[in-house]
Each structure stands twice: as C-alpha cells, then as structure tokens.
C-alpha cells in the first residue's frame, strides 16, 4: 500500500484498510508515529516557551523527560481520537441509512490518521501554551493555522472516500454523512 494513496485521497487506501490483513499493523504504526511526533512537538514548544509546568521550571526538566512525558499521553490521545473518529463516523453512516460496519470503519479511520499530521503544530502549540505558565508564546502562528485548515480539508475528503468505500454510498449520501460528521465535530469542539 503506497502511503501516497492516503494523501492523494484515492479509494485504494480505504480498500487496502478494509481488505488487507496487515492493515492493523499499519494502523498501529500510524498511531505510534503521530503520537511520538505530537509528543516531541509539545516538548520542544514547552521548552522554547519556558515558564513553569505544574510548578516546576521547564528549563529544569531534562528534555528527554519532557519529551517522554508528552509522547506517552500523545499516543493515548491518538488512540482516543481514532476511536472517536470511528464512533462518530459509524453514527453518521447509520444516520444516513448505511449499514454501519463498525470493523470497516475502524480500519479505515486508522488510515485517515496521517491526514491529521499537518494539524499537529497547531495542536501542539495550543497544548504547550495551556500547560505552561509562559506568557511569551503569543497567538497561534498563521502557518500553523493554515496547516490545520489544510489538514481538516484533507481529513474531510478522506472521510468522504471512507464513506464511499465502507458504506457503499453514492456520492450525495457520502457527502451528506461527511457534512454531518463535520457539523457534529464543530459543535463538540465549540464546547471546549
């Protein structure tokens, strides 16, 4: 399975996720890589912002401890995001009359995770500014925001392909399910 199929939003990526017996291995790799990248980014940003983390000066924490302390929760967060995507996708598939097929949605949702990579700097920046007492961080840089928007667009396009492949939806139903997913996600994120 070429990794490029995922980023080019080809249906072959979803088909591979559904049919290949090694798909769970790929999903595990995606989860670990994204969790590690997230943890490293948060640690580097926390270190660059300075300040205190839970009352301890960030400069006094060895970088490897800070990094490991962010990687482990990062992997757990990615696992929870994967499960959340699967459950909300299942709800939206059922809402528009699809069969659901939770196992296929689980596998395909795992293949959507790499599409979230461009959003990691924005997420890590937000987490680093809220977990430290540094006041010099400023607002979210425009580049991070632009990358997050690109990531959201890629993810929604991949979600559309996932509904087409796993639920065998025509394009209008897949688009409606994707729109419902987006509306639900925005409403939940607005509460945070």
């Amino acid at each position: 399975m070429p990794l490029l199929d995922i980023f080019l939003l080809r249906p072959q990526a979803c088909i591979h996720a559904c049919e290949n017996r090694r798909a769970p291995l790929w999903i595990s790799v995606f989860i670990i890589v994204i969790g590690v990248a997230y943890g490293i980014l948060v640690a580097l940003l926390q270190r660059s912002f300075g300040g205190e983390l839970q009352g301890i000066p960030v400069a006094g924490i060895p970088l490897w401890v800070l990094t490991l302390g962010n990687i482990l929760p990062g992997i757990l967060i990615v696992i929870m995001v994967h499960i959340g995507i699967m459950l909300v996708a299942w709800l939206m598939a059922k809402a528009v009359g699809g069969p659901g097929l939770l196992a296929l949605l689980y596998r395909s949702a795992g293949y959507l995770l790499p599409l979230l990579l461009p959003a990691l700097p924005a997420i890590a920046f937000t987490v680093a500014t809220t977990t430290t007492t540094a006041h010099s961080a400023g607002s979210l840089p425009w580049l991070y925001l632009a990358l997050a928007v690109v990531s959201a667009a890629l993810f929604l396009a991949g979600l559309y392909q996932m509904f087409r492949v796993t639920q065998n939806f025509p394009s209008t139903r897949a688009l409606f399910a994707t729109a419902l997913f987006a509306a639900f996600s925005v409403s939940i994120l607005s509460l945070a």
Side-chain angles (χ1 to χ4, degrees):
M1 183 252 347
L3 193 58
L4 193 58
D5 282 344
I6 293 172
F7 286 100
L8 292 178
L9 307 170
R10 294 181 178 149
Q12 288 83 358
C14 285
I15 293 168
H16 185 274
C18 294
E19 296 176 354
N20 193 297
R21 64 182 180 88
R22 292 186 185 213
L25 176 65
W26 280 102
I27 293 167
S28 298
V29 168
F30 295 152
I31 287 171
I32 291 169
V33 166
I34 294 168
V36 167
Y38 167 82
I40 290 171
L41 281 171
V42 171
L44 292 175
L45 286 168
Q46 286 172 333
R47 179 58 61 113
S48 70
F49 294 160
E52 292 183 346
L53 181 66
Q54 304 265 335
I56 301 170
V58 174
I61 302 172
L63 185 59
W64 72 270
V65 172
L66 191 61
T67 304
L68 190 61
N70 284 305
I71 286 174
L72 295 177
I75 292 172
L76 291 174
I77 289 168
V78 176
I79 290 169
M80 297 310 293
V81 165
H82 178 214
I83 292 169
I85 290 168
M86 174 204 57
L87 290 174
V88 174
W90 177 78
L91 286 171
M92 298 313 144
K94 295 297 276 181
V96 297
L101 304 173
L102 199 56
L104 296 182
L105 289 171
Y106 174 82
R107 288 172 150 233
S108 295
Y111 275 47
L112 293 179
L113 293 175
L115 299 175
L116 300 174
L117 279 171
L120 282 186
I123 297 167
F125 184 90
T126 304
V127 169
T129 57
T130 57
T131 56
T132 61
T133 60
H135 300 289
S136 63
S139 62
L140 186 66
W142 285 102
L143 176 62
Y144 294 177
L145 185 59
L147 286 171
V149 168
V150 167
S151 181
L154 284 171
F155 177 80
L156 290 174
L159 189 65
Y160 168 82
Q161 287 294 344
M162 183 178 86
F163 283 129
R164 294 284 314 253
V165 171
T166 62
Q167 306 301 305
N168 200 22
F169 281 162
S171 59
T172 53
R173 284 176 75 188
L175 187 61
F176 187 56
T178 303
L180 286 175
F181 185 99
F184 180 82
S185 299
V186 167
S187 67
I188 294 298
L189 290 174
S190 69
L191 296 174

